[in-house]
Amino acid sequence: MTKTTIAKWDVFEAAFNGPSSGNPFIDVDFEAVFSQKSRTVRVPGFYDGEGIYKVRFMPDNEGEWHYATRSSATELDGHSGVFAAGPAQPDVHGPVHVANRFHFAYADGTPYLAFGTTCYAWTHQPLDLQAQTLDTLKQARFNKLRMGVFPKDYPFNINEPLHDVYERDAEGELDFDRPNPESFRHFENQVKALGALGIEADIIIFHPYDRWGYCDMSAEQDFRYVAYLTARLAAYRNVWWSLANEYDFLLDTKPMAQWDRYFQIIEENDPYHHLKSIHNGDVNANYDHRRPWVSHVCIQNWDVKRTQEWREAYGKPVVNDEPEYEGNIMLSWGNISAQELVHRYWITLLRGGYAGHGETFMHPQDILWWAKGGTLQGEAWQRIGFLRDLLEQDAKEGLTPIGREANWPWSRVSGATDGDVTYIYLGEHQPVIWAPGLPVEAGDYDVDIIDTWEMTVTPAKIVDAPANHPTRHGAMLRPRRPDAAFAVELPGKPHLAIRVRPRR
Amino acid sequence: MTKTTIAKWDVFEAAFNGPSSGNPFIDVDFEAVFSQKSRTVRVPGFYDGEGIYKVRFMPDNEGEWHYATRSSATELDGHSGVFAAGPAQPDVHGPVHVANRFHFAYADGTPYLAFGTTCYAWTHQPLDLQAQTLDTLKQARFNKLRMGVFPKDYPFNINEPLHDVYERDAEGELDFDRPNPESFRHFENQVKALGALGIEADIIIFHPYDRWGYCDMSAEQDFRYVAYLTARLAAYRNVWWSLANEYDFLLDTKPMAQWDRYFQIIEENDPYHHLKSIHNGDVNANYDHRRPWVSHVCIQNWDVKRTQEWREAYGKPVVNDEPEYEGNIMLSWGNISAQELVHRYWITLLRGGYAGHGETFMHPQDILWWAKGGTLQGEAWQRIGFLRDLLEQDAKEGLTPIGREANWPWSRVSGATDGDVTYIYLGEHQPVIWAPGLPVEAGDYDVDIIDTWEMTVTPAKIVDAPANHPTRHGAMLRPRRPDAAFAVELPGKPHLAIRVRPRR
C-alpha cells in the first residue's frame, strides 16, 4: 500500500465510521494523537454528520507521522495509521505567528506584514457572489480577510444566509446542540480557497449582529461551538482566531469571564497555537490585551496617531482592523474618503502597527464589500497594495517607530525604521525641505520621495541640512536632536513619504 | 474752557510733568482715581520719559468723569480734572469678555467669535512692512492677532528689532530697570491701529525665543515690566493679556509661582479685567487653566478632535491658537496644507472651541507671516473668513457641541448648535445621505450644504431618513438616538458641512 504523502503545513485528514444515534456532537469524545518519535501532538476530532467522524492534522515537520485514535465510542477508539509529510508546496510558508514582539512572520521565518480587508458575511452570500469575491481578492494585494462564521443581520444585510450554521429541528427551529456540518464544510472550503491565494482567514467566532439566535446560545453551547470550530479548522495553516467583532456589544449575553474561557478552549484544542485576538466595538472598551492568551491587539480606532500608545500599553503587535472604512454610507465608521484611509494606513504602519481595509459604498443591491464581498469600488485598495509591495521590498524585522519616546516631531509626522531602511510619512504636512529622521552619518544612500496617492517613487534631491539655530536664551532646551547628515527637497504637497536605503 | 469729550471705550489720557532724576520708573509711584458719583476706579499711571507722567483711562459709561492723581512725588500729587464720555464710536462694542461660559462677547453684548491669526514680532519689523501687515489685515477677516512685546530670535528671525524694549546704558547694554518709552509708544500705536480695524491684540508678554536677555530679567524686573505694560496698555479696549507663548520653555528662568504672580499683577493694575491666558509649548504642559485669574484656555494642540475634552477639563472658552500653521517650512508645527488647517478650524469650532491661524511659507527674505507679517501667501485665510461670516450670520450664544456626552457618531464627525441653528461638519467623511443631528421634529427648515473649501452654500435635497434597523439580538443596545425627521442627500465628497435653520 502506498503511504499517503502530505506537504508540510497542508492538511492530513482521516475519517472513521462511528455512532450516529443520540447526539454525536455531545455524546462522543473523539481525538487522535499524532507523533514523530517521542513527540506527540493531541488533536481533537469532530463529528461531520451521517455517522462520519474526522480528525485533521497539519504537519509542521517533514517525515513519517504516526497517529492513533482515542474515543469514548469503541468503533472510533484505537485506530492507527501513518502518513508522510513532504516538503511544503511552493509559496507556502506555514502559519503566521508573532515575531519580534510587535510583528508577525510565517513559520519558516518569512516576514508577514498584515494587510487585511473585511468581508464579514461573504461565505453566507450566493455562490456566484462568493466566486466573484475570490476573483477580486486574487487581483488585490490583501493577505488577510476578516470573516464571520455566523451570518450578519444589519443595515444592508437583510438577506437569508446560504446555510444555517446549526441544524433545524422538526419544527424548523435552530437546534444549537447540533452544528450543521454542511455549513462548516462550506466555510472551511472557503478558508482553504483563501489559503490558496495566500490570504489569512481572520475568523470571527462571535458578533452581535444577529436575528437568528446565535447570540443567545447558552454558555455551554458557546463552549461546545468554540471547541467544534477549533477541531474542524485548526489544521488549516491560514487560520487566525478572532474571538469577536465588537465583543463589548455582546456582554449582556456573554459576560466577561466567558470570553476568557473561549480563549482557553481554543488553547485546549488548537495544537498549532494560531494567532488569537478579540476586537472591541466602543473605542473605550478595549479588552485587556495583556492577557496571556491574546497573541496580538486587534482594535478598531480611527485615531491612528495613537498607534504607539497601544503598542506600549499592551506590548504586542497592534492590528487596527477598523480605522474606519472607505465609503459613503451614513454610518460614520463607513464613509471616509480613499485619501483618508490611505493616509491612516501610512500613519498606522509608520507608527509600528498594522491597519485593516474595508469598503462601504452604497450599492443598488446592497452588495457592500465590507459584509458581502463582490467587487471593490474604491480607490484605496490599489494604494494599500502599493504600500505593501513597497514595505515588502525591505521587510526584515518589522517597522519600529522613530522617536517613540520623543514628543516632537514624531507626534505630528510618522517615521519608522526596518533594519537599516528608514521611512518617513509626512501626511498632512507639506514641507519643501526635510531632515528629521534622516541618517546622522554621512554615507551612500538611496533616498526616494514616495507619492502615496500617485504611487510613484522618485529619487530625492539631496541638499544640505539646515543649520541648527543658536541656543535660545532663557528657554528650557529639550534634548537636541542629532543633526541629519543631509536634507531632502520636497515638492511642498501633502501625502508624501521619504525612504532612505543604504546603497547596496 | 471746553470740556474734553471722549467716546465710550476710547482712551482718555492726561499728562503731567514730574521728576526725571534718579530712576523715575522705579522711584515714583503715580496713579489716578476716576469717578462717577460714588463709583471710583483706581488707574495706575506710568512714566513716559523726559519728565512726563501719564495716566490713561477707558470710560465704560457715558457722562461726566472726574479724576484726581496721587503720587509719591509732590509735583504729581493732587491733580484733578474732569472729562465727558460720549457715545461709543460706530462699530465700537467695547472690550471682549467671556460670555456663556465657553464663549466671548463684547461689552455691549455683541457676540465675539474669535478668528485670530499670528504675527509674533510684526511690531519689530521695518515700518513699511508693518504698514503692509496692517493693509493685509484690513483685507482678511481676522479679528484677533497674537503679537509679542519683545522681539523674536528664531529661525527666519535673525534681524535686529525696530526698537530696544529697554534703554541702553552708556556701555550699550540693555538696562532692564529702564523701559524704552519709544518702543512702548510704537507698540501701543500698533495696538490702536489694530483696534481701528476691529482686531483684538492678544499681547504676548513673555516668550522664550530671545538673544537680547529679555528672558533673563530678574523676577523683580519681570514684575515691574508686567505692571508697566499693564499701566500703559490696559486702557486700549482691544487688549488681551497673553502671559506667554510657550511658558513651559521658560520655566528654568521663570518658575511656576512667578507665572501666577504675573497674573496677579495684571489683576492689580487692569481695572477693566481684560481677558487673560497663558499658552503652552509642549502639548503635555498645559497650565492649570482652572485657576481663577485665567479667563480662557489658550493652547496649542494639533489634535483638534479633543476640543470638547479641554472644554470639559477647564470649564472655560477654549482658544487653540496653534493647531499647526499652514506652510511649508521644515518645522512640523508650520507645514500643514491649507486644506488641513481649514479642516481643523471647522472641527474646532463645531466642537465648541476657537482656532488660530498662522502662515509659515518659505520666503526669499524670510518674511514669514507668522512672525513678521507682510502678505498672506496661503489659501486657508479666505476659507477661515468664509467660516467666520457664515457663523456670524446666526451667532447668538456660541456653538455648543452636539452629543457632548455621546461617543458616537460625534467622536468621528463634528456638530454643534447655536440657538436654533444646527451645524454639522463631516470632514474626512463623505456620506451620500445624512441624518444624525438633524431636527427630530418635522417643521419648516432651511437646510444648506456648505462646501468648506469651495466656499459655497447650496440648498440641500431633503429625503426621508433611513429607517432604524430592527433591534440586534443579543447585542447590548446603546441608547437609541432619536430618529431625525428627515435626511439630506450629499454629493459624496469630503469637507462638506450641513446647516439647518428654522425658516423665519
Side-chain angles (χ1 to χ4, degrees):
Chain A
M1 187 182 107
T2 316
K3 197 166 56 188
T4 310
T5 297
I6 297 290
K8 183 162 81 161
W9 298 316
D10 278 6
V11 178
F12 169 81
E13 183 179 286
F16 307 90
N17 291 311
S20 59
S21 61
N23 186 342
F25 295 104
I26 295 180
D27 302 340
V28 178
D29 292 332
F30 173 57
E31 62 185 33
V33 174
F34 288 77
S35 58
Q36 279 193 321
K37 298 181 180 157
S38 296
R39 180 183 174 208
T40 60
V41 182
R42 181 225 162 231
V43 177
F46 60 91
Y47 183 59
D48 199 31
E50 297 173 0
I52 309 291
Y53 293 74
K54 289 182 175 166
V55 65
R56 290 176 180 155
F57 178 68
M58 176 185 71
D60 60 0
N61 191 49
E62 293 180 42
E64 200 169 79
W65 284 89
H66 292 261
Y67 66 90
T69 67
R70 299 194 288 225
S71 180
S72 57
T74 46
E75 306 105 289
L76 296 168
D77 192 54
H79 294 281
S80 65
V82 62
F83 74 94
Q89 297 188 69
D91 298 325
V92 168
H93 303 284
V96 173
H97 292 125
V98 171
N100 301 318
R101 186 166 190 194
F102 293 111
H103 300 284
F104 302 101
Y106 291 99
D108 73 354
T110 305
Y112 170 84
L113 280 63
F115 280 84
T117 184
T118 308
C119 300
Y120 281 129
W122 79 283
T123 64
H124 286 290
Q125 306 310 315
L127 290 172
D128 55 347
L129 183 56
Q130 295 190 40
Q132 192 182 45
T133 303
L134 288 170
D135 272 350
T136 301
L137 288 168
K138 205 175 200 167
Q139 310 305 319
R141 295 279 293 127
F142 296 112
N143 60 10
K144 181 170 82 70
L145 183 65
R146 279 176 68 70
M147 53 193 278
V149 177
F150 293 128
K152 188 176 181 80
D153 176 58
Y154 198 79
F156 316 109
N157 288 269
I158 54 173
N159 56 324
E160 283 300 313
L162 187 63
H163 301 103
D164 292 321
V165 182
Y166 282 78
E167 293 181 356
R168 290 192 182 267
D169 61 19
E171 284 75 44
E173 297 297 315
L174 288 170
D175 178 352
F176 296 113
D177 292 327
R178 291 181 177 268
N180 175 10
E182 189 186 1
S183 174
F184 284 89
R185 275 195 291 270
H186 176 72
F187 188 81
E188 62 210 24
N189 278 338
Q190 296 300 50
V191 168
K192 199 172 166 180
L194 292 174
L197 298 175
I199 296 172
E200 303 296 301
D202 201 0
I203 296 173
I204 296 167
I205 301 178
F206 297 102
H207 71 76
Y209 306 106
D210 172 45
R211 68 170 179 269
W212 301 275
Y214 299 114
C215 280
D216 297 310
M217 300 193 318
S218 70
E220 274 309 311
Q221 288 168 333
D222 279 355
F223 297 150
R224 287 201 304 266
Y225 158 62
V226 173
Y228 186 75
L229 189 70
T230 314
R232 289 197 73 111
L233 278 151
Y236 294 92
R237 63 176 172 270
N238 61 322
V239 162
W240 297 24
W241 306 116
S242 179
L243 271 277
N245 183 36
E246 307 185 340
Y247 83 98
D248 46 317
F249 300 158
L250 279 163
L251 288 172
D252 58 341
T253 60
K254 303 181 194 309
M256 200 57 157
Q258 217 159 295
W259 294 96
D260 297 348
R261 183 68 194 129
Y262 300 146
F263 274 112
Q264 294 163 0
I265 290 170
I266 296 173
E267 294 203 335
E268 289 169 9
N269 291 287
D270 170 8
Y272 318 105
H273 306 292
H274 287 293
L275 293 165
K276 292 189 294 304
S277 70
I278 180 166
H279 185 84
N280 62 296
D282 188 293
V283 290
N284 297 311
N286 281 355
Y287 184 86
D288 182 1
H289 300 291
R290 293 170 303 181
R291 293 189 194 176
W293 38 70
V294 177
S295 59
H296 63 284
V297 180
C298 176
I299 54 167
Q300 65 169 300
N301 201 307
W302 55 263
D303 201 359
V304 294
K305 284 191 178 172
R306 293 176 57 196
T307 301
Q308 288 129 303
E309 180 186 325
W310 305 317
R311 275 170 57 113
E312 289 164 24
Y314 302 115
K316 297 181 182 181
V318 171
V319 183
N320 186 351
D321 265 313
E322 199 183 323
E324 300 181 332
Y325 300 138
E326 182 186 2
N328 63 10
I329 61 172
M330 195 171 78
L331 298 148
S332 293
W333 47 259
N335 57 25
I336 60 170
S337 65
Q339 287 81 357
E340 182 68 22
L341 182 57
V342 174
H343 177 62
R344 292 185 187 180
Y345 253 82
W346 276 85
I347 291 172
T348 301
L349 270 286
L350 268 61
R351 288 171 186 245
Y354 296 92
H357 168 270
E359 263 193 22
T360 40
F361 284 99
M362 298 284 272
H363 185 280
Q365 282 85 46
D366 280 350
I367 302 174
L368 281 66
W369 173 263
W370 125 95
K372 296 185 180 173
T375 58
L376 290 162
Q377 313 297 318
E379 301 176 284
W381 65 273
Q382 302 94 322
R383 279 83 190 176
I384 293 166
F386 168 78
L387 173 57
R388 179 183 165 193
D389 290 341
L390 189 97
L391 294 178
E392 286 188 348
Q393 283 178 34
D394 295 285
K396 204 170 161 187
E397 298 161 359
L399 291 164
T400 300
I402 299 175
R404 187 173 143 228
E405 316 288 340
N407 192 49
W408 196 87
W410 307 108
S411 63
R412 302 174 192 254
V413 298
S414 307
T417 58
D418 185 356
D420 56 8
V421 180
T422 298
Y423 305 88
I424 295 162
Y425 174 60
L426 296 166
E428 69 276 28
H429 297 271
Q430 50 171 21
V432 290
I433 182 170
W434 187 260
L438 299 185
V440 175
E441 303 293 333
D444 277 339
Y445 300 98
D446 289 317
V447 186
D448 294 296
I449 307 299
I450 294 151
D451 187 316
T452 64
W453 183 256
E454 300 297 337
M455 300 182 276
T456 57
V457 179
T458 314
K461 185 173 171 203
I462 305 298
V463 295
D464 288 342
N468 265 320
H469 190 71
T471 305
R472 292 167 292 160
H473 299 271
M476 270 182 73
L477 288 173
R478 285 160 294 175
R480 276 169 85 84
R481 277 164 292 130
D483 295 335
F486 56 87
V488 296
E489 276 191 7
L490 292 155
K493 53 181 277 202
H495 304 126
L496 299 180
I498 301 165
R499 179 182 60 184
V500 184
R501 303 197 278 197
R503 192 163 294 151
R504 293 189 179 114
Chain B
M1 191 182 107
T2 318
K3 199 166 49 183
T4 310
T5 298
I6 297 289
K8 185 164 80 161
W9 297 316
D10 277 7
V11 179
F12 170 81
E13 181 179 286
F16 307 91
N17 291 310
S20 59
S21 60
N23 186 343
F25 293 104
I26 296 180
D27 303 340
V28 179
D29 292 332
F30 173 58
E31 62 184 33
V33 175
F34 288 77
S35 59
Q36 279 193 323
K37 297 180 182 158
S38 295
R39 180 183 175 208
T40 61
V41 182
R42 182 229 162 228
V43 178
F46 61 92
Y47 183 59
D48 200 31
E50 298 175 357
I52 309 291
Y53 292 75
K54 289 180 176 167
V55 64
R56 290 176 179 155
F57 178 68
M58 175 184 71
D60 61 1
N61 190 49
E62 293 180 41
E64 202 171 79
W65 285 88
H66 292 262
Y67 67 88
T69 66
R70 297 194 291 224
S71 179
S72 56
T74 46
E75 307 103 290
L76 295 168
D77 191 53
H79 294 280
S80 66
V82 62
F83 73 94
Q89 296 188 69
D91 298 325
V92 169
H93 302 284
V96 173
H97 292 124
V98 171
N100 300 319
R101 187 167 190 192
F102 292 111
H103 300 284
F104 301 102
Y106 291 100
D108 73 353
T110 305
Y112 170 84
L113 280 63
F115 280 85
T117 185
T118 307
C119 301
Y120 282 130
W122 76 285
T123 65
H124 285 291
Q125 306 310 314
L127 290 172
D128 55 347
L129 183 54
Q130 294 190 42
Q132 192 182 47
T133 303
L134 288 170
D135 272 351
T136 301
L137 288 168
K138 205 175 198 166
Q139 310 304 320
R141 297 278 293 129
F142 296 112
N143 60 11
K144 181 169 84 69
L145 184 65
R146 280 176 67 73
M147 52 192 278
V149 177
F150 293 128
K152 187 175 182 82
D153 177 59
Y154 199 79
F156 316 109
N157 287 267
I158 54 172
N159 56 325
E160 283 301 313
L162 187 63
H163 302 102
D164 292 321
V165 182
Y166 282 79
E167 292 182 355
R168 291 193 182 267
D169 62 20
E171 284 75 45
E173 298 296 316
L174 287 170
D175 178 353
F176 295 113
D177 294 327
R178 289 179 179 271
N180 175 8
E182 191 189 357
S183 174
F184 284 89
R185 274 195 292 269
H186 176 72
F187 188 81
E188 63 210 21
N189 278 337
Q190 296 300 50
V191 168
K192 197 172 165 181
L194 293 174
L197 298 175
I199 297 172
E200 304 296 300
D202 202 359
I203 296 173
I204 296 167
I205 301 178
F206 297 102
H207 71 74
Y209 305 107
D210 173 45
R211 69 171 179 267
W212 300 275
Y214 299 115
C215 280
D216 297 310
M217 301 194 316
S218 70
E220 275 308 309
Q221 288 168 334
D222 279 356
F223 297 150
R224 286 201 304 266
Y225 158 63
V226 172
Y228 186 75
L229 190 71
T230 315
R232 290 199 71 114
L233 278 150
Y236 294 92
R237 64 177 172 268
N238 62 320
V239 162
W240 297 26
W241 305 117
S242 179
L243 271 276
N245 182 38
E246 305 183 341
Y247 83 97
D248 46 316
F249 299 158
L250 279 163
L251 288 172
D252 57 342
T253 60
K254 304 181 195 307
M256 201 56 157
Q258 216 159 299
W259 294 97
D260 296 347
R261 182 69 195 129
Y262 302 146
F263 274 112
Q264 294 164 359
I265 290 170
I266 295 173
E267 294 204 334
E268 290 168 8
N269 291 288
D270 170 7
Y272 317 106
H273 306 290
H274 286 293
L275 294 165
K276 293 189 293 300
S277 71
I278 181 166
H279 185 85
N280 62 297
D282 189 292
V283 289
N284 297 312
N286 281 355
Y287 183 87
D288 181 1
H289 300 291
R290 292 171 302 182
R291 292 188 195 174
W293 39 70
V294 177
S295 59
H296 63 283
V297 180
C298 176
I299 53 167
Q300 64 169 301
N301 201 306
W302 56 263
D303 201 359
V304 294
K305 283 190 179 172
R306 294 177 56 195
T307 300
Q308 287 130 302
E309 179 187 325
W310 305 316
R311 276 170 56 112
E312 289 165 24
Y314 301 115
K316 297 181 183 183
V318 171
V319 183
N320 187 350
D321 266 313
E322 200 182 322
E324 300 183 331
Y325 300 137
E326 181 186 2
N328 63 10
I329 62 172
M330 195 170 78
L331 299 147
S332 293
W333 47 260
N335 57 25
I336 60 169
S337 66
Q339 286 81 355
E340 181 68 20
L341 182 56
V342 173
H343 178 62
R344 293 185 185 179
Y345 253 83
W346 276 85
I347 291 172
T348 302
L349 269 287
L350 268 60
R351 288 170 187 246
Y354 297 91
H357 168 270
E359 263 192 21
T360 41
F361 284 99
M362 299 284 270
H363 185 281
Q365 282 85 46
D366 281 350
I367 302 175
L368 281 67
W369 173 262
W370 127 95
K372 295 185 180 173
T375 57
L376 290 162
Q377 314 296 319
E379 299 177 283
W381 65 272
Q382 301 95 319
R383 278 85 189 174
I384 294 166
F386 168 77
L387 173 57
R388 179 181 166 195
D389 291 342
L390 189 97
L391 294 178
E392 286 188 349
Q393 284 177 34
D394 294 285
K396 204 171 159 186
E397 297 159 1
L399 292 164
T400 300
I402 299 175
R404 186 174 145 226
E405 316 290 338
N407 193 48
W408 194 87
W410 306 108
S411 62
R412 303 176 191 252
V413 298
S414 307
T417 57
D418 185 358
D420 56 8
V421 180
T422 299
Y423 306 87
I424 294 162
Y425 175 59
L426 297 166
E428 69 276 28
H429 297 271
Q430 51 172 20
V432 291
I433 182 170
W434 187 259
L438 299 185
V440 175
E441 303 293 334
D444 278 339
Y445 300 98
D446 289 318
V447 187
D448 295 295
I449 307 299
I450 295 151
D451 187 316
T452 65
W453 183 256
E454 299 297 337
M455 299 184 278
T456 56
V457 178
T458 314
K461 185 173 172 201
I462 305 297
V463 294
D464 287 342
N468 265 320
H469 192 70
T471 304
R472 291 167 292 162
H473 299 271
M476 270 182 74
L477 288 172
R478 286 158 296 175
R480 276 169 84 84
R481 277 163 293 129
D483 295 334
F486 56 88
V488 296
E489 275 192 10
L490 292 155
K493 53 180 277 199
H495 304 126
L496 299 180
I498 301 166
R499 178 182 60 184
V500 184
R501 303 197 278 197
R503 194 162 294 150
R504 293 188 181 116

